[in-house]
Amino acid sequence: MRRDFIIGIDSGSTTTKAVVFSSTGAIVGTGRRRVAQHMERPHHVERDMHEAWQAVIGSIRDALSAAGLDGNAIASVGVTAHGDGVFLLDRSRNPLGRGIMSLDSRATAIHERWKRDGISDLTLPIAGQRPYVYSANTLLAWIRDNEPERYQAIGAVIFAKDWIRYCLTGEIATDLTEASTSFTDLYTQDYSDDLLDVLGLVDIRAALPEMRLSCEQGGVVTAEAAALTGLVAGTPVSVGLHDVTAAAVGLGHTRAGDLSITAGTWRDRRTVD
């Protein structure tokens, strides 16, 4: 069988989708699995990382079945997921608690203090933006102050789509569209030690993963992942990108001066108890 198809994976806030595309961009099969949001504590919105991976496994199998194909037909895999928040691995590359989603607002007090003390303003000339309540850097500061043992155990700071790619390939990395939300210099587009210093996160520098371009190959499907998903071991997997950026690319907005506006049902949960 010719490998004429690609499969895209999007692990969204509520649903994980997998879509099989032909070489002309036609959709030939889709799969969807719901993924729970865990909200046992006020202002905490989390995702079990193992549950997220199981949803990916199921959606890939469903998409291949709907397309009437097997993994031999898939030339490559693309990944995206809900952006912001933070997913953590320990030094043995195991999940360090649940992933924290962008709907989470536990770090509101830190965010307000940074604004009051002028720290947020200090980040603007470095990063070109101020931290948000749901930014990875703000959430890491919350973990540092409230869960110090967990903070000291961090081996890798990644994002939702990076976790999915890691499960598929065994490779830890991120891309610029994710890293730039919290950790990079506006001008060099590399990790900024100055930014980490301003936010009191210098000791997390070693846990920031290799940053690659979104369209680069981010590994290949492992034998273990192949057995679970129905894909073929060795199938290339892209590094991937933040979901909002992925949507812009899908619309063809890839040139300087192109503008995309995203409107949806995302909302600030700071007032939700």
Side-chain angles (χ1 to χ4, degrees):
M1 181 183 293
R2 291 176 55 184
R3 305 185 82 179
D4 286 344
F5 300 87
I6 63 173
I7 189 164
I9 301 164
D10 177 11
S11 182
S13 296
T14 57
T15 305
T16 290
K17 289 82 67 180
V19 181
V20 179
F21 297 92
S22 72
S23 58
T24 62
I27 295 174
V28 298
T30 61
R32 295 180 178 85
R33 295 293 176 100
R34 297 280 292 185
V35 191
Q37 295 178 4
H38 296 275
M39 297 180 285
E40 290 88 350
R41 298 171 62 186
H43 310 291
H44 288 55
V45 186
E46 300 176 321
R47 169 155 291 169
D48 183 282
M49 294 167 69
H50 295 296
E51 291 176 358
W53 171 228
Q54 289 301 314
V56 170
I57 292 170
S59 65
I60 290 173
R61 287 194 167 276
D62 291 347
L64 289 173
S65 176
L69 300 170
D70 63 26
N72 289 294
I74 304 300
S76 61
V77 182
V79 293
T80 188
H82 62 86
D84 300 291
V86 70
F87 282 49
L88 301 174
L89 303 178
D90 64 20
R91 292 181 179 84
S92 297
R93 296 189 165 192
N94 296 312
L96 190 58
R98 291 172 176 164
I100 303 176
M101 302 182 69
S102 60
L103 296 169
D104 194 283
S105 60
R106 72 186 70 184
T108 298
I110 289 175
H111 184 256
E112 293 299 321
R113 188 180 77 238
W114 283 354
K115 289 198 297 182
R116 184 180 64 250
D117 295 346
I119 292 174
S120 291
D121 291 334
L122 293 175
T123 68
L124 189 58
I126 303 171
Q129 62 185 335
R130 299 179 179 90
Y132 295 97
V133 172
Y134 49 82
S135 297
N137 46 26
T138 316
L139 291 166
L140 285 166
W142 186 92
I143 294 170
R144 178 198 64 205
D145 295 348
N146 293 273
E147 298 177 350
E149 291 185 4
R150 183 185 184 191
Y151 185 77
Q152 293 300 322
I154 294 173
V157 176
I158 58 175
F159 296 88
K161 69 102 171 54
D162 301 325
W163 165 244
I164 300 305
R165 189 189 57 258
Y166 171 66
C167 291
L168 284 167
T169 69
E171 293 196 23
I172 295 176
T174 194
D175 80 301
L176 180 60
T177 68
E178 301 274 24
S180 64
T181 64
S182 291
F183 304 115
T184 61
D185 182 283
L186 173 63
Y187 300 100
T188 67
Q189 295 296 288
D190 201 356
Y191 289 127
S192 171
D193 292 336
D194 290 339
L195 181 60
L196 294 174
D197 183 47
V198 166
L199 299 176
L201 296 171
V202 172
D203 49 356
I204 211 69
R205 177 64 177 86
L208 298 181
E210 178 188 357
M211 196 184 342
R212 303 179 187 174
L213 295 177
S214 304
C215 293
E216 287 183 18
Q217 181 173 309
V220 298
V221 174
T222 64
E224 179 181 3
L228 293 169
T229 61
L231 297 170
V232 172
T235 302
V237 181
S238 71
V239 172
L241 66 173
H242 188 292
D243 61 345
V244 173
T245 313
V249 172
L251 290 168
H253 295 178
T254 58
R255 299 173 300 275
D258 287 346
L259 173 66
S260 297
I261 299 175
T262 301
T265 55
W266 183 92
R267 66 190 178 94
D268 192 331
R269 290 179 177 264
R270 281 180 288 178
T271 59
V272 179
D273 292 321

